[in-house]
Amino acid sequence: MTKQNIAILGGGVSAMTAAVYLTEKENWQDLYDITVYQLGWRLGGKGASGRNAEYGERIEEHGLHVWFGAYVNSFRAIETVYNELNRPTSVPIHTWQQALKPHSFVVLQEYIENEWETWPVDFPLIEGNPADGTLDLHFWQLIELVVAWLHKWIDELEEAIEASNKQVELQTRKSRDRSLLQHLASEISDAVDSVEDKVRSFFDSAVDEAQDILSTPKLLISQLHELMSLRAKDKKLSNTKDRLVTWYIVRKLKRWLRSEALELIDENPAVRRAYICADLAIAMTVGMIRDRVHANGFGVLNQYDFKYWLARNGADKEYAVESAPVRGFYDLVFGYVDGDFENGDVEAGVASLAMLRIMLCYKGGVMWKMQAGMGDIIFSPIYELLAQRGVKFEFFNQIESLKPGQDEDGNYVVEEISVIEQVALKNGKYNPFVDVKGLPCWPAKPNFEYIDSEQAALLQQHNINLESFWSNWPEVYEQHYQRPLPRKTLKRMRDFDKVVFGISVGSLEHLCPELLALDYAFEQQSSQVKTVATQAFQVWLNKTDEQLGFNYTPPSEERPILSAFSQPFDTWAAMSNLLEVEDWQNDKPCNIAYFCSAFTCDNYPPSSEHSFPAEQTAKVKLNAVEKLQSEMKPLWPLAYDAAGRFIWDVVYDPNKPATEARFDTQYWRVNVDPSERYVLSVTGSSDFRLATDGTLFKNLYITGDWIKTGVNAGCVEAAVMAGMQTSRAICGLPAEISGENGFEPDGT
């Protein structure tokens, strides 16, 4: 059998996942010859990180990268990588358990009467390995888990309401409602041997037409939970009364909450927060039943924005729809079109399924923190493993365009790929790593010692960014050498047979215009699956979180990951855990703070506008300084003097006076490049997502968090699932991808 040449374009999560699983196939080297073509000097795409040798080998990221405990496929992939790589124990991080640690402490911010209030949430640890989890929960399993959380919040609220001498007795009078409770009683009584006396009395009253049916919120929710547990096990979808009794009970609880809890909300944060959570759970349950998610799938909800869908299903507009958990989710997925914080837009099906999975499917911690940079933790071991296996890497290879053609059977194919060779390498070889305290890491700048000396000097002299869409390197090179940068043309059946396009969706219009002109569905995907620019900054600090005035430390002493705060930079993470893997000498910082958010930008000029990235980066710096000077006081009150001025002494820089000048040695960036912008899930856009082999071109496999995956949102899990789907379409592996049918119906 003739080997097939596979050209993988890009080195992000999806592309590298595809490569990992392609090389999992037995005797893969007899079947394939795989080459990765990568812009610049490092893998990672939007997840790339670098080590800055000038400043203590500090970690510099594109933004905040945290995994969720419900990232089943991501953990399976990285577990495979670390296990197969089998790093020696002399490497500081040689197992996946060392690479990622569970994290439970999440903080939200509420804006109450013109002041920010902190809402700390310490999620329970759930025993188990995320790789052993599942995202394939059917309709009743999801409802059961929502009702289990609702049970907790209703119990808390009933106790608070009863303590305030308000009503906790509920009455059922309508004959239709009585029949639903009779159904509830019958289903539970038939399934269990005995019930508590108070439950038996409740069931008896439901059956006895002469009795009033009296209950309490706790009693109703506990019995609904019992019914949901039965349905979670038997997956019976056909009995309409199961859905009707669920609908009836949660709506009855909602009316009780509106009647009895609202007066307590303004004076009692615990009641307010339990009310918000209960109200959201009720609205989501009502919505899933009303829109027949069991029969239509979560995809039917994607015609609505998530906030609109919540309000449509009765969520309290004042307290729940604009609540911290909802705003925090929009912040999580950068869900603001063009970075306009007044224009949030996230598909309801995508959002509700994602929130349910995050809350209900996690193992270990609800989140997992990487114990070094994402490049160090994820992409270094992937590169090492793939290189060991024989995958070839062509760094400094910038994809310029893909050209269509037709094969011998008349099928459309990718015929040629034009590549710009950004630099000449000494001896044609490049070692991409730097060693930081024994850990192989990607540098923040290329390893210039492997690049032709004259070109290396020119790159450094002009401070060239080889990863930028707007780089002026072609002009600098041509002016110096009196010739353009060298190009090569990869040809089908000579250099490649199959193409894995792993560059993000924002690049399609620039790299594939001729393909898009031939394939309307592909063009629609390119134009309708939107992206948004993001911004991030990191500051190294001389004070701990407590010394800055943040005093919400849980028993675990975990550092906070906080969201739903003022914009921009609505998200802050305390990352002091990374100091030990940086390499500061002598005088050292004692803390690190990461910030990120969407970035406001609605116009991206052509690549000839070389000044564009610097102009936008300057805006990020202004935003970051403003954040510190004016907006962090609610979280860091001790970082401000009596006059309310930010104390620059808290920012680490032993060589500068305690002024704003200290910010100059911190790290900030804007992600405006087509391949770096965050992929959105705007209303209705899921309809335009294609499968990995869904284009018109027979030898083209698109991959990334922008294709149809069963998550359909910008995140690592969607990217990993896309890479797995790409590999499976080519070689059949992996056989199972958890959760990929998440938007499909469960039954009738």
Side-chain angles (χ1 to χ4, degrees):
M1 177 185 288
T2 304
K3 277 190 185 183
Q4 289 194 320
N5 293 316
I6 300 176
I8 297 180
L9 312 183
V13 170
S14 296
M16 293 301 92
T17 300
V20 167
Y21 280 98
L22 283 167
T23 57
E24 281 286 288
K25 188 170 180 66
E26 189 176 358
N27 300 323
W28 76 269
Q29 287 181 317
D30 296 333
L31 303 172
Y32 310 121
D33 193 296
I34 301 174
T35 304
V36 176
Y37 297 89
Q38 173 62 46
L39 172 76
W41 66 95
R42 57 183 169 180
L43 302 180
K46 292 186 281 290
S49 67
R51 295 304 193 106
N52 190 324
E54 187 178 352
Y55 298 106
E57 295 291 359
R58 71 186 187 189
I59 297 163
E60 297 177 346
E61 298 273 9
H62 277 63
L64 174 64
H65 298 290
V66 178
W67 284 21
F68 284 94
Y71 282 3
V72 174
N73 298 291
S74 303
F75 277 95
R76 288 177 183 173
I78 205 62
E79 184 177 43
T80 295
V81 169
Y82 274 91
N83 289 348
E84 292 292 319
L85 180 59
N86 193 24
R87 275 176 167 171
T89 57
S90 57
V91 178
I93 297 175
H94 54 270
T95 68
W96 76 266
Q97 293 93 338
Q98 294 171 321
L100 293 124
K101 299 289 186 182
H103 181 89
S104 301
F105 187 46
V106 178
V107 181
L108 299 171
Q109 290 299 112
E110 297 181 286
Y111 198 57
I112 308 293
E113 295 181 353
N114 298 317
E115 290 188 358
W116 289 102
E117 293 190 17
T118 297
W119 180 351
V121 185
D122 198 14
F123 282 87
L125 284 168
I126 305 294
E127 186 176 346
N129 177 354
D132 298 329
T134 181
L135 300 178
D136 291 313
L137 299 184
H138 63 72
F139 176 79
W140 284 126
Q141 287 175 313
L142 289 171
I143 297 289
E144 179 205 17
L145 292 166
V146 172
V147 168
W149 280 94
L150 184 57
H151 194 335
K152 172 182 180 296
W153 296 316
I154 292 295
D155 284 3
E156 292 175 10
L157 287 162
E158 182 174 322
E159 289 174 9
I161 288 169
E162 190 169 27
S164 300
N165 298 313
K166 295 174 73 66
Q167 183 63 252
V168 295
E169 185 177 80
L170 303 177
Q171 218 171 14
T172 299
R173 292 191 177 93
K174 293 180 181 178
S175 59
R176 180 198 63 187
D177 299 340
R178 179 183 288 272
S179 73
L180 292 174
L181 293 182
Q182 288 172 353
H183 172 73
L184 175 70
S186 173
E187 290 295 304
I188 294 174
S189 297
D190 289 348
V192 300
D193 295 330
S194 63
V195 294
E196 297 177 57
D197 289 342
K198 64 178 180 179
V199 176
R200 174 57 60 196
S201 175
F202 168 60
F203 286 173
D204 289 345
S205 67
V207 176
D208 186 349
E209 302 286 343
Q211 293 188 54
D212 286 340
I213 305 177
L214 300 178
S215 60
T216 64
K218 282 185 182 181
L219 181 58
L220 278 182
I221 194 63
S222 66
Q223 297 315 299
L224 180 59
H225 191 197
E226 291 288 341
L227 178 62
M228 295 301 95
S229 296
L230 293 175
R231 291 297 166 263
K233 293 182 180 71
D234 63 28
K235 197 185 172 181
K236 288 182 181 176
L237 293 163
S238 57
N239 195 327
T240 304
K241 280 195 170 182
D242 290 336
R243 297 189 292 279
L244 289 177
V245 75
T246 305
W247 172 284
Y248 164 69
I249 289 176
V250 297
R251 285 174 63 84
K252 190 172 188 68
L253 293 172
K254 181 185 188 65
R255 289 192 294 272
W256 167 72
L257 287 172
R258 295 282 170 89
S259 170
E260 305 301 323
L262 281 177
E263 290 182 9
L264 307 177
I265 281 177
D266 291 337
E267 303 302 323
N268 191 325
V271 170
R272 181 178 67 245
R273 292 161 186 172
Y275 173 85
I276 288 169
C277 293
D279 195 67
L280 289 172
I282 290 169
M284 291 180 72
T285 303
V286 167
M288 286 189 283
I289 293 172
R290 178 184 185 180
D291 289 309
R292 295 177 56 80
V293 165
H294 71 285
N296 298 321
F298 277 92
V300 75
L301 308 182
N302 286 331
Q303 62 187 298
Y304 309 112
D305 169 62
F306 184 50
K307 287 184 182 179
Y308 174 86
W309 180 74
L310 288 172
R312 179 176 182 264
N313 291 296
D316 189 310
K317 292 182 181 178
E318 180 180 358
Y319 290 102
V321 174
E322 294 296 335
S323 65
V326 175
R327 289 187 298 107
F329 185 83
Y330 277 69
D331 295 344
L332 172 70
V333 297
F334 300 93
Y336 305 99
V337 177
D338 295 329
D340 178 357
F341 295 109
E342 300 301 316
N343 189 16
D345 188 353
V346 182
E347 291 174 307
V350 166
S352 56
L353 183 58
M355 288 184 78
L356 290 169
R357 284 171 165 175
I358 287 170
M359 289 281 291
L360 309 178
C361 298
Y362 77 86
K363 290 186 181 293
V366 68
M367 292 180 175
W368 288 66
K369 266 187 173 180
M370 281 170 274
Q371 299 304 299
M374 186 164 178
D376 314 332
I377 292 300
I378 306 301
F379 293 100
S380 290
I382 287 176
Y383 173 80
E384 288 180 291
L385 178 65
L386 293 176
Q388 269 183 23
R389 287 178 168 181
V391 173
K392 295 187 278 293
F393 288 85
E394 297 287 345
F395 290 101
F396 306 104
N397 274 240
Q398 179 182 355
I399 304 304
E400 185 176 34
S401 64
L402 279 67
K403 303 289 186 184
Q406 289 180 287
D407 66 13
E408 56 277 11
D409 298 319
N411 299 304
Y412 281 109
V413 290
V414 175
E415 188 67 32
E416 294 181 353
I417 303 169
S418 177
V419 180
I420 299 173
E421 296 180 301
Q422 294 178 292
V423 301
L425 297 174
K426 297 175 182 176
N427 306 317
K429 294 183 179 180
Y430 183 72
N431 178 359
F433 290 145
V434 291
D435 183 289
V436 181
K437 299 168 75 171
L439 190 67
C441 303
W442 305 89
K445 296 179 179 179
N447 285 332
F448 289 109
E449 64 267 30
Y450 294 96
I451 298 174
D452 171 84
S453 298
E454 188 175 356
Q455 291 185 21
L458 201 59
L459 289 165
Q460 293 174 86
Q461 176 189 340
H462 291 273
N463 195 27
I464 299 295
N465 180 1
L466 291 172
E467 294 177 327
S468 174
F469 176 76
W470 289 274
S471 172
N472 64 341
W473 176 234
E475 287 83 354
V476 170
Y477 182 97
E478 186 162 359
Q479 184 177 9
H480 182 83
Y481 289 102
Q482 297 300 301
R483 63 178 185 273
L485 276 167
R487 286 167 167 77
K488 62 186 176 187
T489 300
L490 308 179
K491 293 186 175 291
R492 183 176 69 88
M493 298 183 70
R494 183 191 73 188
D495 302 298
F496 66 88
D497 298 289
K498 298 182 186 298
V499 181
V500 174
F501 187 91
I503 307 169
S504 194
V505 64
S507 297
L508 287 174
E509 63 176 311
H510 304 291
L511 306 185
C512 306
E514 294 182 46
L515 275 62
L516 300 180
L518 291 170
D519 187 341
Y520 178 72
F522 199 18
E523 186 279 329
Q524 286 289 283
Q525 180 174 36
S526 173
S527 61
Q528 299 302 318
V529 178
K530 306 291 186 183
T531 62
V532 66
T534 62
Q535 58 188 326
F537 76 96
Q538 299 166 211
V539 286
W540 285 259
L541 300 160
N542 294 316
K543 303 287 186 182
T544 66
D545 302 322
E546 288 75 16
Q547 289 169 337
L548 293 168
F550 189 85
N551 291 309
Y552 297 88
T553 305
S556 64
E557 298 187 357
E558 286 184 336
R559 302 295 87 193
I561 294 177
L562 179 146
S563 196
F565 191 35
S566 60
Q567 295 158 327
F569 300 116
D570 43 52
T571 300
W572 159 54
M575 302 294 285
S576 57
N577 61 298
L578 298 180
L579 286 168
E580 64 183 52
V581 294
E582 297 180 337
D583 196 14
W584 299 94
Q585 303 296 317
N586 304 320
D587 186 13
K588 303 176 182 179
C590 71
N591 199 0
I592 316 174
Y594 282 30
F595 296 84
C596 66
S597 75
F599 177 75
T600 304
C601 185
D602 61 0
N603 180 46
Y604 300 94
S607 59
S608 56
E609 296 290 329
H610 303 309
S611 63
F612 179 71
E615 293 166 358
Q616 305 312 303
T617 302
K619 293 178 183 177
V620 174
K621 183 181 181 183
L622 288 174
N623 290 342
V625 170
E626 172 70 14
K627 190 74 177 184
L628 295 176
Q629 287 185 326
S630 305
E631 297 183 27
M632 284 301 290
K633 191 173 182 181
L635 302 178
W636 295 351
L638 300 183
Y640 294 78
D641 65 19
R645 294 180 297 247
F646 185 70
I647 302 169
W648 282 100
D649 185 58
V650 305
V651 174
Y652 174 81
D653 187 340
N655 300 314
K656 287 191 176 178
T659 67
E660 185 183 321
R662 286 198 174 190
F663 192 83
D664 294 343
T665 53
Q666 308 307 304
Y667 181 69
W668 63 96
R669 67 173 293 132
V670 66
N671 299 307
V672 288
D673 276 74
S675 62
E676 292 182 338
R677 298 197 294 266
Y678 197 91
V679 177
L680 297 176
S681 305
V682 300
T683 304
S685 62
S686 280
D687 289 344
F688 299 98
R689 289 173 176 254
L690 300 177
T692 184
D693 55 357
T695 74
L696 192 63
F697 304 95
K698 191 175 178 64
N699 64 341
L700 176 64
Y701 299 85
I702 55 176
T703 199
D705 57 7
W706 47 279
I707 73 169
K708 180 181 178 182
T709 60
V711 172
N712 291 6
C715 65
V716 165
E717 182 71 353
V720 168
M721 292 168 73
M724 294 168 98
Q725 289 173 326
T726 299
S727 174
R728 185 177 61 191
I730 295 172
C731 76
L733 293 178
E736 179 193 353
I737 303 172
S738 186
E740 67 177 328
N741 298 314
F743 295 104
E744 303 304 316
D746 287 320
T748 57

